[in-house]
Amino acid sequence: TPDQRMTGLMHRKDMPQHEGMLFVFEQPTQQCFWMKNTLIPLAAAFVADDGTIVNIAEMKPQSLDSHCSEKPVRYVLEMNTGWFARKGLKPGAKLAGPPFR
């Protein structure tokens, strides 16, 4: 829901290592995220409709810095900081499964 999307992962003190949050938007547009009221460091992968990672941003807790997709995307996957690097996932890598087509 829009309210869930707006709250995101704010106010959490921790998150299990292999869990995250997938943000799904109605249509591809440039997406920008910031970390106000977010207590844990996160990485955001901006993902195209076909599952291709467009870019990844490592984000610092409680920051108002804006982190944006380099092109219009419908999906943003937030995980603990460093998760994408540990998995060897970089821009150009493809995520599989629903909802990517």
Side-chain angles (χ1 to χ4, degrees), residues 28 46-54 71-75 100-101:
F46 298 93
V47 185
D49 281 0
D50 68 353
T52 301
I53 296 175
V54 173
K71 70 177 198 175
V73 297
R74 186 186 315 262
Y75 305 104
F100 311 115
R101 21 183 172 119

Side-chain angles (χ1 to χ4, degrees), residues 10-11 25 27 38 46 49-51 54-55 60 68 74 79 98 100:
M10 290 192 307
H11 308 294
F25 297 91
Q27 59 188 8
T38 305
F46 298 93
D49 281 0
D50 68 353
V54 173
N55 61 298
K60 294 183 181 181
C68 300
R74 186 186 315 262
M79 300 296 289
F100 311 115

Side-chain angles (χ1 to χ4, degrees), residues 85-100:
R86 285 190 299 279
K87 297 288 182 186
L89 297 171
K90 300 176 182 175
K94 257 190 159 172
L95 304 179
F100 311 115

Side-chain angles (χ1 to χ4, degrees), residues 15-31:
M15 184 168 63
Q17 184 177 14
H18 297 293
E19 292 185 16
M21 183 170 187
L22 179 65
F23 293 82
V24 180
F25 297 91
E26 293 75 28
Q27 59 188 8
T29 59
Q30 184 182 45
Q31 304 298 337

Side-chain angles (χ1 to χ4, degrees), residues 6-13 34-42 59-63 78:
M6 192 167 57
T7 301
L9 295 171
M10 290 192 307
H11 308 294
R12 292 178 184 236
K13 294 183 179 166
W34 47 289
M35 297 282 285
K36 181 180 180 181
N37 299 321
T38 305
L39 307 175
I40 54 177
L42 297 172
M59 305 184 296
K60 294 183 181 181
Q62 305 217 28
S63 169
E78 282 187 340

